[in-house]
Amino acid sequence: MSHALIVIDVQNDFCPGGALAVPDGDAVVPAINAMIGDFRIVVLTQDWHPAGHSSFATSHPGRAPYDMIDMPYGPQVLWPDHCVQGSDGAAFHDALDTTPANLVIRKGCNPAIDSYSALFENDHTTPTGLEGYLRGLGVDRLTLVGLATDFCVRYSAVDAARRGFDVAVHLPACRGIDLNGSMAEALSDMRGAGVALR
Ligand code: VGL
Ligand code: ZN
């Protein structure tokens, strides 16, 4: 069985100067570049929203970024417009070494559903296809790194652990948003799901 590195959303919009900048987000780049060569299987994810995506505050008149709304699949944070398909903000950070990547998986493409997790959309039932890819290669262990610790890394790690993967999150190569205590909640949720925090 083998071990894959999953690099979550290291995109310009999540780095300083981006539309949804994660504090110190670009600090993950050298940390990831230093470890990426150690894995035989490397997957990069990209948040990849159509313009007017339902997770954008601008799609909900009278709402502001970081408001909460109820979507058919549950509560949803409204975000600034970010990672619009094909935009510079959606591109990987220039300094990220993408050369060793075996697969790039794009998520959040359905205009009506957000997708934090690399495995399932936020309805928790629509798969992205990543699990099938990993199973097909005999992968049973995952190391996750990237942005943001408390959103896409968290939901990816918890979903993967629930699906039976042996999951570790390498925190020195992650940075979080920390919205209303979301960082502490994310760490305890990941621990509770059996994710190793390193
Ligand atoms: C993310 C908020 C909205 C993430 C993506 O990559 O953590 N966060 N879209
Ligand atoms: Zn997004």
Side-chain angles (χ1 to χ4, degrees):
M1 297 303 267
S2 53
H3 186 182
L5 180 68
I6 314 291
V7 179
I8 305 288
D9 297 2
V10 182
Q11 294 166 265
N12 291 325
D13 272 343
F14 297 124
C15 291
L20 178 37
V22 176
D24 202 27
D26 55 348
V28 305
V29 172
I32 295 168
N33 288 347
M35 63 196 290
I36 205 163
D38 297 340
F39 292 80
R40 198 173 59 75
I41 297 166
V42 175
V43 176
L44 311 180
T45 71
Q46 244 174 339
D47 207 37
W48 197 254
H49 300 306
H53 191 261
S54 58
S55 74
F56 296 170
T58 54
S59 302
H60 303 268
R63 298 301 189 137
Y66 310 106
D67 283 357
M68 295 289 304
I69 59 161
D70 287 313
M71 294 289 271
Y73 53 79
Q76 169 73 48
V77 183
L78 293 179
W79 301 107
D81 289 25
H82 64 280
C83 296
V84 173
Q85 296 176 354
S87 66
D88 284 347
F92 291 117
H93 187 290
D94 268 346
L96 180 71
D97 181 12
T98 61
T99 307
N102 299 89
L103 175 73
V104 175
I105 189 139
R106 291 171 165 170
K107 61 186 179 61
C109 308
N110 181 335
I113 314 181
D114 207 359
S115 189
Y116 296 149
S117 164
L119 282 80
F120 291 95
E121 298 196 22
N122 284 10
D123 62 6
H124 305 295
T125 50
T126 308
T128 62
L130 178 59
E131 182 181 1
Y133 172 83
L134 294 171
R135 300 267 183 229
L137 293 178
V139 172
D140 62 347
R141 280 179 70 199
L142 306 178
T143 293
L144 273 70
V145 293
L147 305 170
T149 317
D150 42 350
F151 287 92
C152 292
V153 175
R154 168 193 178 173
Y155 286 95
S156 299
V158 169
D159 276 353
R162 286 196 184 127
R163 300 298 290 181
F165 291 95
D166 176 350
V167 185
V169 169
H170 185 64
L171 291 172
C174 298
R175 289 294 184 279
I177 299 173
D178 206 12
L179 192 63
N180 305 318
S182 58
M183 195 63 137
E185 188 186 301
L187 297 176
S188 76
D189 188 32
M190 290 191 282
R191 272 193 204 100
V195 173
L197 302 178
R198 306 220 157 101

